Amino acid sequence: MVFEVIPAVDMRGGKCVQLVQGIPGSEIVSLDDPVEVSLDWVRKGAKTLHLVDLDGAIEGERKNATIIEKIVNACREKGVRIQVGGGIRSFEDAASLLELGVSRVILGTAALQNPELVKQLSSAFGKDSVTVALDAKNGKISIKGWTEECAQTPVEMGRKFEELGAGSLLFTNIDTEGLLQGINPAPTKELVESVSIPVIASGGVSSLQDLQVLKNTGAAGVVVGSALYTGRFTLEAAIEIILHE
């Protein structure tokens, strides 16, 4: 993987939103048309989009599936990769997305509650199709839309899921997520150095400098949401600085 900046399109109630710390009702951005938002990021240079069904992540059932299907269909002909997370709780859920044309499914709660699911999907669709989300708060894994904390650390879980066939990891530092106060690169660097599969970082990016710092951890890419939507920097500027660093 070449380090890339991946715009986030988080959906709740049919709208594209950005939440603070993943808390429902804390929207700092709310846009009516997630399909148009997605296509706008593609026009601005995005090669991968990060789609999250927030209703699905919190309620355990994918509520924005129709919108996601529209985005996948609109982006397929443009050669844009789509990774999708939120509410994917079963083999059937994941398989339907991959068969639709999604490049990678992101498993969070489902992977932690049923690790064999990672192995099954990896065997059926190839490991590059499976990303496991490791969301950490105070150094411990959180699940169910960040409402429950587990005893395990990201490094422990990262190694486990690599063995089970995950092709990549998505690491979100909840301590900095959505606050626009900058990043703490140490947990990302620790995870990158503990596994041999790509790690995509997420959480707290607020400046172009943050992107450079994350690239220097060895991460394969970074998902950016609030900073792009609130105009801290443009996607074009982010791509430019990463390409010419």
Side-chain angles (χ1 to χ4, degrees):
M1 277 187 175
V2 176
F3 187 89
E4 64 177 328
V5 180
I6 304 170
V9 182
D10 295 352
M11 284 161 274
R12 182 166 169 78
K15 296 187 176 185
C16 174
V17 302
Q18 287 292 298
L19 307 181
V20 177
Q21 299 272 278
I23 300 167
S26 68
E27 286 86 353
I28 56 172
V29 172
S30 181
L31 302 169
D32 288 334
D33 190 346
V35 179
E36 181 52 36
V37 170
S38 299
L39 290 172
D40 192 44
W41 291 131
V42 173
R43 285 191 287 268
K44 290 173 178 174
K47 300 299 183 191
T48 302
L49 293 177
H50 176 79
L51 310 185
V52 178
D53 187 332
L54 290 172
D55 297 304
I58 295 164
E59 299 172 31
E61 184 180 339
R62 291 168 52 227
K63 296 291 183 71
N64 297 281
T66 302
I67 299 172
I68 288 171
E69 184 172 348
K70 287 179 181 176
I71 294 171
V72 172
N73 288 335
C75 291
R76 184 187 289 117
E77 62 196 46
K78 301 179 186 299
V80 176
R81 293 179 295 273
I82 305 286
Q83 56 188 43
V84 177
I88 302 170
R89 297 290 193 262
S90 68
F91 183 92
E92 290 73 23
D93 278 344
S96 68
L97 284 164
L98 292 167
E99 288 161 0
L100 178 66
V102 167
S103 302
R104 295 191 285 260
V105 289
I106 302 166
L107 305 175
T109 300
L112 288 149
Q113 293 183 332
N114 177 19
E116 281 299 305
L117 179 58
V118 174
K119 196 179 210 176
Q120 292 165 356
L121 286 166
S122 181
S123 297
F125 294 96
K127 71 175 193 175
D128 289 344
S129 300
V130 186
T131 298
V132 172
L134 301 177
D135 303 338
K137 191 171 188 176
N138 302 318
K140 300 292 185 182
I141 295 290
S142 287
I143 61 170
K144 295 188 178 176
W146 302 349
T147 59
E148 290 185 21
E149 190 173 290
C150 304
Q152 296 92 342
T153 67
V155 167
E156 290 168 343
M157 289 292 94
R159 287 172 173 158
K160 176 178 180 177
F161 286 117
E162 180 177 11
E163 288 177 12
L164 285 168
S168 55
L169 302 171
L170 173 69
F171 176 66
T172 300
N173 187 352
I174 302 171
D175 297 326
T176 58
E177 166 66 25
L179 297 178
L180 288 172
Q181 294 174 0
I183 58 165
N184 173 10
T188 301
K189 192 170 192 295
E190 183 184 19
L191 183 58
V192 167
E193 292 175 350
S194 301
V195 297
S196 59
I197 55 176
V199 175
I200 301 166
S202 175
V205 169
S206 60
S207 68
L208 293 172
Q209 183 182 6
D210 287 340
L211 299 178
Q212 293 171 305
V213 170
L214 282 171
K215 183 180 180 184
N216 290 337
T217 66
V222 57
V223 172
V224 185
S226 298
L228 288 173
Y229 286 98
T230 59
R232 292 294 182 98
F233 53 81
T234 65
L235 180 59
E236 295 95 327
I239 292 169
E240 180 76 13
I241 198 166
I242 291 304
L243 283 176
H244 296 96
E245 189 186 33

